[in-house]
C-alpha cells in the first residue's frame, strides 16, 4: 500500500520487481511530475491568498525549517481534507517527523519530484492493483489516478467522491472496505 509519495515508490517497486508484489494498493498518487503543474493551477483556482503563498514556498524550496513546514500544513489542511479538523491534524503531526530537508529535496526547483516519470514502466506491473483517488484532491488530482489506471493492465480504479488527498480522514471506512476487498475480485476485472 502506498499513499501519495509512497504510491510513487510502490509503483516503481512493483514495476521493477513484479514478482515481489502480490497485491498493490495505490492511494492519491501520480505517475509523473505533471502533478506539480496541475496542483499549481488548482491552488490558484481554489486556494486562498495564504494557500497560494505557502505553495509558492513549497515549489521554491523555501520551507527551510520545521516551523515553516508546520505552518504550510496548518494553512493547507483544508485543501488536503474535506473534513479537515485542525486539532486532530496538529495532534497527528506532533506524532510524526517533519523534515523540511526531505520535502525541499522533492519539490524545490530541480527536485526529484520535478522530473520523474514512471509511465513507461507501469505496464510491467502484474499484481492485482487497486487505485484510489479523492475527487477533490488538489495535489494528486483524480485525472492522475485515471491515467495510472489506463496504464496498469487490469487495475481497478475507485474515486472517493467526498475526499481530497486524505481519503483516510475523509472516508475512512470506504477506504478500508476497498483495500480489504478480495484480490481475486481485482484479478477478475
Amino acid at each position: 500500500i502506498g499513499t501519495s509519495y509512497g504510491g510513487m515508490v510502490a509503483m516503481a517497486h512493483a514495476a521493477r520487481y513484479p514478482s515481489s508484489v502480490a497485491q498493490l494498493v495505490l492511494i492519491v498518487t501520480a505517475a509523473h511530475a505533471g502533478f506539480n503543474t496541475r496542483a499549481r493551477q488548482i491552488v490558484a483556482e481554489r486556494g486562498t491568498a495564504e494557500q497560494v503563498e505557502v505553495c509558492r514556498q513549497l515549489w521554491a524550496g523555501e520551507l527551510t525549517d520545521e516551523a515553516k513546514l508546520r505552518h504550510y500544513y496548518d494553512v493547507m489542511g483544508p485543501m488536503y481534507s474535506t473534513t479537515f479538523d485542525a486539532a486532530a491534524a496538529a495532534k497527528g503531526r506532533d506524532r510524526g517527523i517533519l523534515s523540511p530537508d526531505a520535502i525541499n529535496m522533492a519539490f524545490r526547483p530541480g527536485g526529484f519530484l520535478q522530473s520523474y516519470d514512471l509511465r513507461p514502466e507501469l505496464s510491467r506491473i502484474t499484481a492485482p492493483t487497486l487505485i484510489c483517488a479523492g475527487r477533490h484532491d488538489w495535489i494528486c488530482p483524480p485525472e492522475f489516478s485515471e491515467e495510472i489506471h489506463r496504464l496498469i493492465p487490469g487495475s481497478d480504479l475507485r474515486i472517493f467522491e467526498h475526499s481530497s488527498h486524505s481519503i483516510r480522514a475523509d472516508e475512512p471506512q470506504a477506504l478500508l472496505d476497498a483495500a480489504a476487498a478480495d484480490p481475486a475480485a481485482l484479478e477478475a476485472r
Side-chain angles (χ1 to χ4, degrees):
I1 295 176
T3 300
S4 193
Y5 175 67
M8 299 168 194
V9 173
M11 278 185 283
H13 182 83
R16 294 169 189 171
Y17 307 99
S19 65
S20 72
V21 179
Q23 191 174 353
L24 181 62
V25 180
L26 302 171
I27 304 170
V28 296
T29 194
H32 62 91
F35 80 92
N36 289 290
T37 300
R38 183 69 179 114
R40 282 183 179 99
Q41 293 168 343
I42 292 170
V43 168
E45 293 166 7
R46 291 192 227 157
T48 66
E50 188 176 22
Q51 288 169 331
V52 169
E53 172 55 21
V54 295
C55 285
R56 185 203 61 75
Q57 293 170 17
L58 170 72
W59 285 300
E62 296 175 4
L63 300 176
T64 53
D65 59 43
E66 188 175 321
K68 288 179 182 177
L69 188 54
R70 190 171 298 279
H71 178 70
Y72 166 84
Y73 285 118
D74 288 343
V75 170
M76 291 305 294
M79 287 194 74
Y80 277 103
S81 173
T82 61
T83 60
F84 181 66
D85 176 334
K91 187 176 176 182
R93 272 194 306 284
D94 288 344
R95 290 190 313 262
I97 298 170
L98 291 178
S99 172
D101 293 338
I103 203 162
N104 284 316
M105 287 176 61
F107 286 98
R108 72 177 181 225
F112 63 86
L113 289 183
Q114 298 300 324
S115 60
Y116 84 101
D117 190 349
L118 297 172
R119 290 173 293 185
E121 300 179 55
L122 296 185
S123 65
R124 294 186 220 142
I125 295 175
T126 58
T129 302
L130 172 63
I131 303 156
C132 301
R135 174 65 68 201
H136 308 285
D137 192 346
W138 75 277
I139 188 88
C140 292
E143 61 254 36
F144 291 89
S145 292
E146 292 165 349
E147 178 180 49
I148 294 166
H149 173 56
R150 287 190 301 273
L151 295 170
I152 298 178
S155 61
D156 183 23
L157 173 65
R158 308 279 175 92
I159 306 279
F160 292 76
E161 295 296 331
H162 306 289
S163 292
S164 184
H165 194 68
S166 186
I167 298 172
R168 70 185 179 279
D170 295 334
E171 296 181 77
Q173 191 58 55
L175 179 61
L176 288 172
D177 292 346
D182 180 5
L186 289 176
E187 290 182 73
R189 292 178 191 254

